[in-house]
Structure formats: structure tokens, C-alpha cells
């Protein structure tokens, strides 16, 4: 009788596979309130690594970390009409506190444009205070009607950047810099996901923005996932909060602003982009544990050797964990590490000691081979880089092979429903066609120029709409 698979096969039921993997790899649990999640230590370790890599890039862009309150006076949100309208259905509002009704309801932070602008208007006095570049790592709450762990949850973790600039050009260029040099650099070079960089249509823009730049990744089932966004806010919030500065010419001017964010949704993107029927496959540059060294049996000599190998690899700059839990069967431990997607396993047993070798098991390309123990420290950094490159190449090949150039709305819908993306001239689609796509749960993910670059305007000649079903 065939042994039942640990995970539901992707081809059989992709959403079920996704949920199975989150549970079996011990990434997260559902929280007690519908739409919330409990992130378990291994899942949080992935998020911490994302934070570290992103935070370094954000600081390289000149932004400094700060923190703003979770509770926002409801009156703040009403100052920017388009913003409050866009978020109204998702708001969680507190009306009572300390046993009595509040004089003014407070909103649980859905995003921080309004409260940060209240303080920007105090902190910015002259051109010498600009640009003001702030980022915060925080949680936000957006009441979610169709929750899915990591992808859409009522409460999630993220970073949100907010900046103020003296000119439109400076704000535009900074939003584009974050889009490409922070987000795309991280997602391509660390997550190994070949994202498409583009411009959101007017109907898909962030509420209150004059332009939204997006990064879209193709998941294993061919759907799109918005991995991060960078917004040009123009002067909309500056007008609402009277955020002005004294220019070099001695005139009072409104600032120009940006905001940008990425969230724990990236963990979901990591799972769905790289995972297979055996579990996660974590890119080595991201992996909290790049190599796990497993003792096959509880022989004292074996235990001493795996600890020695662990120390050698750590000294070589590898993020390593020694698994010497020999009271748990080896097969179960090997399956658990495979589910968690650790890039490399080094397995050591009594026979390996005799031959001076260890079994090298590679999670990403698959396969195993004996390797001399003394060669491991020199060999593994190169192996990890090979596997990092393979994940990116597979991500790119999947997107390219499953993207079709079409000329009609019907063809675009057909491509999306079949589990792929479509590219169609925006001039032929337009807002009317965008509305027709929505009737089939298909959306314009972004606009790109003919050469694949990010266009300067929605209606730039040659703009192409990237069309897909999305999470």
C-alpha cells in the first residue's frame, strides 16, 4: 500500500498544499480572532531575516527608523478624503477605553500616513529639514473578510516608510529608488523571486497617492502576488496637514511626499514561489539555517563529529545548526528539515566516520552525495550560491514560460484562468477593458513599458498591461 504524502500535492489542490505546508513546517497557526495569526519561531525566523536584509537597504537609502502610536484619532483620517474612503471598510475603531466611552473614537493603525503627517508638520520648518526620511517596523490592522495566513490577515507585520521632500522631482526619484534599489534588489537577490516592476493603474493606486509603483511575483500556481509598493503622495497629505517649509527664497511651500511598504505577505510569497511537494525551499541568502548537521545515531563519536563540523562551518561564515536529537528517529528529523526547506543537510553516521566523509543532501536541486568532511567548509559557500542562483532562474523561467502576449480581453482572461499572465497593450485595454476583466476576477497588476521598464505616466505610448488573477 502506497504511503500517503506528507503534503497535499500542489497539482491536486494548491491552496490546501499551502495550508498543509504552513502547518507541517511549523510556520504559523491561526489566531483566536478570525483573520489573525500566530507566527511560530521558524516562521518568525524567516521574517527576522527579511527584516535584517530590508532594514540594511532602507538605512542605505538614508531613512532612519522611528515609531508612531498604534492608536490614531479618527479625525486624522478624515482630513484626506480619498485616503479615508479607501480604508473605511477595513478600519477597526475603538469607542470605549478605561470602562467608559471615549470622547473621540480612535482607529487601530491601518497605515500611518495621517499620524506621521501630524508630526511632520511640527518637525519641518525650513528647507534645511528636508528631505525627512522615516521608516517604522510595526503591526497594522485591516479588517480582512477573506483571510489567509501570511497573505491576507487582519493584523500583520510590516515596514512603512514615509518621506517629505522639497520638490516633486526629489520625491518621485526617491519613490523610484526605494522601488528598485531597496525592494527589487532584496526580492531578486535575496528572496530569489523574479519580480516584475511596474506602475499601478489609476484604479489600483494606493488611496491618496498620485502614483503607485509595484513589484509583482508569479507564484507556483501562476497567480500574481503584490510583494511591495512605493507611492508618490504628491502634496495631498501636505495640504490636509499643512506640512510646509520655508524655501531658500523665503516662501512658504508645501512638501512633496512618498510612502512605501512591504509586509509578512513576503513570507507567503516565499512559500508559494519556491515550495514544492516536499515542503519549503528557502533561498540560502535568506535562510536562518543554511546548513543543518544531523547525527544519524547517538554514538558518542558521531555526536562529537557533528559538533566539530558545526563549529568548522560556523567559523567559515555559514549559518549552521547541529541536530543531535538522537532520541527522535533520524527519518523523522530528516523529513522535518526537508519540510522547513533548509538548503543543505550534512548527515553523519558511524560508517561516515570510518570513511572520513559525510552525506551532503541538497534541498533545492535535490540529490545527495558523500563528501570528505575536511572539504565541507571550503565547498559549502559555493554550493549555497549555486542553489540561490537556481531558485532565481526557476522563478524567471516559470514567469516567462507562462506569460502570453495577447490582443483581446477574451484572450487575456483565458490566459489568466489557465494559470498564467497576459501582456496586452494598455491603449487597447484601457479603463473600460480593466472593468471587464474584473468581472472575471482578473486584474491589471501593473503597467510596464514595451522594453519592460517602469513607464513615467499611465498613458505613455507603448505601455503594456500585465494581467493576471491575484492573491
Amino acid at each position: 500500500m502506497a504511503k500517503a504524502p506528507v503534503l497535499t500535492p500542489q497539482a491536486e489542490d494548491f491552496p490546501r498544499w499551502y495550508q498543509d505546508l504552513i502547518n507541517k513546517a511549523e510556520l504559523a497557526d491561526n489566531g483566536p480572532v478570525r483573520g489573525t495569526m500566530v507566527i511560530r519561531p521558524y516562521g518568525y525566523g524567516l521574517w527576522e531575516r527579511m527584516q535584517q536584509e530590508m532594514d540594511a537597504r532602507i538605512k542605505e537609502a538614508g531613512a532612519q527608523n522611528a515609531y508612531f502610536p498604534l492608536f490614531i484619532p479618527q479625525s486624522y483620517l478624515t482630513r484626506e478624503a480619498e485616503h479615508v474612503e479607501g480604508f473605511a471598510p477595513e478600519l477597526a475603531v475603538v469607542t470605549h477605553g478605561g470602562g467608559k466611552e471615549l470622547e473621540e473614537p480612535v482607529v487601530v493603525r491601518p497605515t500611518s500616513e495621517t499620524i506621521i503627517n501630524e508630526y511632520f508638520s511640527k518637525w519641518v520648518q525650513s528647507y534645511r529639514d528636508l528631505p525627512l526620511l522615516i521608516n517604522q517596523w510595526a503591526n497594522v490592522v485591516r479588517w480582512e473578510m477573506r483571510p489567509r495566513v501570511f497573505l491576507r490577515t487582519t493584523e500583520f507585520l510590516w515596514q512603512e516608510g514615509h518621506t517629505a521632500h522639497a520638490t516633486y522631482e526629489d520625491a518621485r526619484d526617491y519613490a523610484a529608488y526605494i522601488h528598485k534599489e531597496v525592494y527589487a534588489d532584496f526580492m531578486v537577490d535575496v528572496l530569489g523571486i523574479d519580480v516584475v516592476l511596474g506602475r499601478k493603474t489609476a484604479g489600483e493606486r494606493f488611496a491618496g497617492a498620485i502614483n503607485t509603483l509595484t513589484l509583482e511575483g508569479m507564484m507556483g500556481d501562476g497567480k500574481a502576488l503584490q510583494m511591495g509598493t512605493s507611492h508618490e503622495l504628491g502634496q495631498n497629505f501636505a495640504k490636509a496637514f499643512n506640512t510646509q517649509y520655508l524655501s531658500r527664497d523665503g516662501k512658504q511651500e508645501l512638501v512633496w511626499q512618498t510612502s512605501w511598504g512591504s509586509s509578512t505577505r513576503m513570507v507567503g510569497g516565499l512559500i508559494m514561489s519556491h515550495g514544492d511537494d516536499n515542503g519549503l525551499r528557502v533561498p540560502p541568502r535568506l535562510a536562518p539555517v543554511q546548513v543543518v548537521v544531523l547525527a544519524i545515531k547517538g554514538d558518542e563519536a558521531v555526536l562529537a563529529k557533528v559538533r566539530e563540523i558545526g563549529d568548522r562551518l560556523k567559523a567559515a561564515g555559514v549559518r549552521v545548526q547541529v541536530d543531535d536529537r538522537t532520541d527522535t528517529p533520524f527519518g523523522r528529523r530528516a523529513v522535518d528539515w526537508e519540510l522547513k526547506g533548509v538548503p543543505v543537510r550534512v548527515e553523519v553516521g558511524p560508517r561516515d566516520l570510518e570513511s572520513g566523509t559525510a552525506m551532503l543532501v541538497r534541498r533545492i536541486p535535490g540529490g545527495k552525495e558523500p563528501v570528505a568532511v575536511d572539504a565541507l567548509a571550503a565547498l559549502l559557500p559555493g554550493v549555497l550560491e549555486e542553489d540561490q542562483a537556481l531558485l532565481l532562474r526557476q522563478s524567471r523561467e516559470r514567469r516567462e514560460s507562462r506569460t502570453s502576449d495577447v490582443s483581446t480581453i477574451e484572450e487575456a482572461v483565458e490566459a489568466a484562468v489557465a494559470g498564467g499572465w497576459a501582456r496586452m497593450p494598455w491603449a487597447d485595454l484601457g479603463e473600460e477593458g480593466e472593468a471587464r476583466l474584473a468581472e472575471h476576477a482578473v486584474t491589471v497588476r501593473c503597467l510596464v513599458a514595451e522594453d519592460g521598464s517602469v513607464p513615467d505616466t499611465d498613458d505613455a505610448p507603448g505601455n503594456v498591461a500585465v494581467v493576471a488573477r491575484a492573491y
Side-chain angles (χ1 to χ4, degrees):
M1 187 174 182
K3 189 176 180 180
V6 176
L7 303 174
T8 301
Q10 289 185 352
E12 183 179 311
D13 189 335
F14 194 84
R16 173 61 64 185
W17 165 84
Y18 177 78
Q19 194 59 51
D20 282 354
L21 180 49
I22 287 173
N23 292 334
K24 296 289 178 64
E26 300 180 338
L27 300 178
D29 271 326
N30 290 316
V33 175
R34 185 178 183 275
T36 62
M37 63 177 169
V38 175
I39 306 176
R40 300 185 68 176
Y42 190 73
Y44 199 82
L46 294 172
W47 174 241
E48 282 184 311
R49 287 284 304 143
M50 292 180 182
Q51 282 184 301
Q52 290 164 15
E53 292 282 349
M54 289 280 290
D55 197 58
R57 288 165 172 78
I58 288 168
K59 287 172 178 169
E60 186 68 25
Q64 295 179 297
N65 286 336
Y67 186 80
F68 293 82
L70 175 68
F71 295 126
I72 302 173
Q74 192 173 50
S75 59
Y76 283 19
L77 270 78
T78 61
R79 295 191 206 176
E80 212 290 323
E82 186 179 349
H83 187 69
V84 69
E85 182 181 352
F87 277 100
E90 301 176 317
L91 296 180
V93 182
V94 179
T95 58
H96 289 72
K100 61 182 180 180
E101 186 172 354
L102 301 178
E103 291 185 11
E104 178 185 354
V106 297
V107 172
V108 183
R109 173 175 56 218
T111 181
S112 299
E113 276 76 10
T114 56
I115 193 167
I116 287 179
N117 270 278
E118 174 73 10
Y119 287 86
F120 274 15
S121 67
K122 297 179 179 180
W123 298 345
V124 175
Q125 302 298 323
S126 86
Y127 68 90
R128 297 182 185 88
D129 300 320
L130 300 173
L132 179 55
L133 313 174
I134 295 294
N135 177 65
Q136 78 165 342
W137 293 93
N139 63 338
V140 292
V141 170
R142 299 178 185 177
W143 217 258
E144 182 56 57
M145 296 296 103
R146 297 183 297 278
R148 183 172 292 180
V149 173
F150 289 122
L151 300 178
R152 291 187 177 277
T153 49
T154 294
E155 179 191 10
F156 55 91
L157 307 179
W158 77 344
Q159 59 73 212
E160 51 176 318
H162 300 269
T163 70
H165 305 260
T167 67
Y168 161 74
E169 289 79 11
D170 194 27
R172 176 201 62 197
D173 292 348
Y174 194 80
Y177 182 90
I178 293 292
H179 186 223
K180 184 178 180 181
E181 304 299 334
V182 174
Y183 289 164
D185 182 73
F186 166 71
M187 291 169 192
V188 173
D189 287 354
V190 179
L191 292 187
I193 299 176
D194 189 50
V195 289
V196 169
L197 283 68
R199 179 186 181 100
K200 286 291 189 185
T201 63
E204 292 287 329
R205 275 184 211 140
F206 177 72
I210 62 172
N211 181 33
T212 290
L213 304 173
T214 184
L215 302 100
E216 303 286 330
M218 179 184 279
M219 302 295 101
D221 61 351
K223 288 185 179 179
L225 184 72
Q226 179 180 290
M227 300 285 289
T229 47
S230 182
H231 315 288
E232 296 175 43
L233 301 180
Q235 294 180 311
N236 291 340
F237 288 90
K239 291 173 183 174
F241 287 84
N242 196 32
T243 310
Q244 300 186 67
Y245 71 99
L246 187 67
S247 72
R248 292 176 185 273
D249 299 329
K251 298 178 181 178
Q252 288 291 328
E253 305 278 358
L254 291 170
V255 299
W256 296 84
Q257 292 182 268
T258 77
S259 69
W260 26 279
S262 61
S263 74
T264 38
R265 168 177 280 212
M266 292 190 294
V267 179
L270 171 75
I271 297 166
M272 294 193 296
S273 183
H274 297 318
D276 62 19
D277 285 348
N278 293 318
L280 275 174
R281 294 190 304 162
V282 181
R285 291 181 188 170
L286 177 76
V289 178
Q290 295 174 312
V291 177
V292 60
V293 186
L294 287 91
I296 295 176
K297 292 187 176 180
D299 182 291
E300 284 302 322
V302 169
L303 295 175
K305 180 57 70 172
V306 298
R307 291 162 188 160
E308 176 193 323
I309 293 171
D311 290 340
R312 285 191 195 178
L313 295 181
K314 190 176 295 184
V318 176
R319 293 189 291 277
V320 63
Q321 182 166 330
V322 171
D323 185 347
D324 54 7
R325 301 169 297 154
T326 52
D327 54 342
T328 300
F330 169 75
R332 177 178 173 182
R333 287 183 287 134
V335 169
D336 284 347
W337 288 115
E338 188 163 73
L339 281 166
K340 287 179 165 63
V342 171
V344 173
R345 299 200 307 271
V346 174
E347 300 172 353
V348 181
R351 291 181 183 175
D352 300 298
L353 289 184
E354 295 174 6
S355 62
T357 64
M359 188 62 69
L360 182 69
V361 185
R362 294 172 67 173
R363 176 68 183 90
I364 292 165
K368 59 174 68 177
E369 61 177 328
V371 173
V373 168
D374 291 342
L376 286 169
L379 177 68
L380 282 175
V383 166
L384 294 170
E385 281 303 297
E386 285 178 14
D387 292 353
Q388 178 79 31
L390 176 60
L391 285 177
L392 179 60
R393 186 164 66 250
Q394 290 176 341
S395 174
R396 179 175 296 121
E397 288 171 352
R398 177 175 61 235
R399 179 178 60 79
E400 290 177 346
S401 67
R402 297 172 71 171
T403 299
S404 307
D405 286 306
V406 303
S407 56
T408 68
I409 293 172
E410 291 73 23
E411 289 173 339
V413 170
E414 183 180 355
V417 170
W421 292 6
R423 287 166 41 95
M424 181 176 178
W426 176 242
D428 295 342
L429 183 64
E431 293 181 2
E432 183 178 339
E434 188 176 17
R436 288 177 57 192
L437 288 175
E439 296 171 4
H440 301 275
V442 177
T443 56
V444 177
R445 303 312 306 156
C446 61
L447 301 175
V448 298
E450 275 185 302
D451 63 1
S453 62
V454 181
D456 293 330
T457 61
D458 291 5
D459 56 358
N463 274 2
V464 176
V466 177
V467 174
R469 283 191 163 173
Y471 283 97

